Amino acid sequence: MRHDTFTIAGRAVHRLGFGAMSLTGPGVWGPPKDRDACVRVLRRAVELGVEFIDTADSYGPYVSEEIIREALHPYPEHVVIATKAGFVRTGPGEWHPVGRPAYLRQEVEMSLRRLGVDRLDLLQLHRIDPEVPLEDQVGELKALQDEGKIAEIGLSEVTVADLERARRVAPIATVQNRYNLTLRGSEDVLEHCEAQGLGFIAYTPIAKGRLAAPGGPVDHVAEAAGATPAQVSLAWLLAHSPVLITIPGTSSVAHLEENMGAARVSLTGGQLAELTEAAAR
């Protein structure tokens, strides 16, 4: 198996994936301005070697899943489609966790229909609902898994304690937390996932802020490596941990092609150390 892959739902997928949240309108609400362009982005992503696509029922809501089906169904055998349930949208930029078991079941059934599949490769609890016992939320996903409607179960925005509590109820395949070169508050979760052999999906993966500013460490390494700052940020993530899957998203083919170029960027040990050191300051 290639070192640059991680196995999900029985398939080894390249760890440079695609996040489909951008295939919607402003505020992750409503349809995108150019639906045809979003279809082209997805098809081009698969052409460029993307094997892991991450979406959610709340993106749109529902819009992202519908566009994925339009662009890629029937799905190539090597492509894993991951989705999420448990986060309700009530307007642009508004998010509310809802983890009632009946609601999670409804949304899984609807995602199956929208994506046009009999089984979801990876269903992630988008957020833990503090009003519902975690055991009930994960327990319902485990019931759906036992029924053959979910292949793997994942969690999103959790702590190590949350993860271990959930694992007492069901096998957990992945965690998805915000993580990049400059936002490393989930380092302990990543280390725990690595120790346990679980996948860690990093969303918002491209570093912004002081490290990526002109003349900053990312800019300096990018110039030396003949790459863009975005490519360097993604290449650092891929080198940082073998269980880390990164999901940059875009609605532009040109931006997609730039991001995918990160797979060809080979950072030296010194460059990796420089970036890691700078992030720790």
Side-chain angles (χ1 to χ4, degrees):
M1 186 182 298
R2 306 196 313 266
H3 74 279
D4 59 350
T5 64
F6 189 85
T7 299
I8 297 174
R11 282 165 282 173
V13 296
H14 194 281
R15 295 190 295 114
L16 181 54
F18 179 80
M21 189 173 75
S22 299
L23 307 181
T24 62
V28 200
W29 183 259
K33 184 176 180 181
D34 189 339
R35 187 182 181 100
D36 290 342
C38 292
V39 169
R40 287 195 296 272
V41 165
L42 284 164
R43 291 176 178 167
R44 182 61 176 149
V46 173
E47 288 174 358
L48 291 171
V50 166
E51 297 168 332
F52 180 80
I53 296 172
D54 179 83
T55 186
D57 63 350
S58 56
Y59 296 167
Y62 314 139
V63 171
S64 177
E65 289 182 332
E66 291 167 353
I67 292 176
I68 288 170
R69 178 174 183 171
E70 178 183 341
L72 300 177
H73 193 275
Y75 305 108
E77 199 170 314
H78 62 285
V79 172
V80 167
I81 309 292
T83 192
K84 310 181 200 73
F87 225 8
V88 174
R89 307 302 312 289
T90 55
E94 296 180 14
W95 308 78
H96 309 280
V98 177
R100 296 189 304 276
Y103 178 76
L104 294 176
R105 176 170 288 272
Q106 168 190 297
E107 291 308 293
V108 166
E109 296 282 5
M110 295 304 293
S111 286
L112 287 166
R113 185 182 301 180
R114 281 189 294 271
L115 290 168
V117 295
D118 296 323
R119 184 178 73 164
L120 300 173
D121 294 329
L122 174 65
L123 188 284
Q124 302 156 90
L125 181 63
H126 205 161
R127 288 296 185 277
I128 295 173
D129 184 344
E131 302 300 319
V132 180
L134 175 60
E135 290 77 7
D136 291 352
Q137 298 173 66
V138 177
E140 188 65 22
L141 300 184
K142 177 64 165 63
L144 288 157
Q145 185 180 50
D146 291 342
E147 293 165 23
K149 295 175 179 178
I150 295 172
E152 303 274 18
I153 298 169
L155 304 172
S156 181
E157 278 304 320
V158 293
T159 64
V160 171
D162 294 330
L163 171 57
E164 286 308 300
R165 188 175 161 195
R167 291 179 75 199
R168 289 194 285 271
V169 180
I172 302 299
T174 62
V175 167
Q176 181 171 156
N177 282 13
R178 178 180 295 182
Y179 186 87
N180 60 41
L181 185 59
T182 60
L183 295 172
R184 296 175 60 189
S186 288
E187 193 73 38
D188 62 332
V189 181
L190 173 58
E191 290 173 358
H192 189 73
C193 285
E194 189 170 330
Q196 298 297 319
L198 308 178
F200 182 99
I201 303 166
Y203 77 90
T204 317
I206 296 176
K208 296 180 174 65
R210 62 179 181 84
L211 297 187
V218 174
D219 193 40
H220 171 253
V221 171
E223 185 176 351
T228 68
Q231 289 170 344
V232 166
S233 297
L234 293 169
W236 179 85
L237 284 172
L238 294 171
H240 188 56
S241 170
V243 304
L244 195 149
I245 302 157
T246 180
I247 49 168
T250 180
S251 58
S252 156
V253 168
H255 190 199
L256 167 74
E257 291 176 344
E258 176 190 347
N259 289 342
M260 291 303 295
R264 300 188 297 272
V265 176
S266 181
L267 301 178
T268 67
Q271 289 169 334
L272 291 169
E274 178 184 350
L275 294 169
T276 303
E277 253 178 61
R281 289 191 203 118

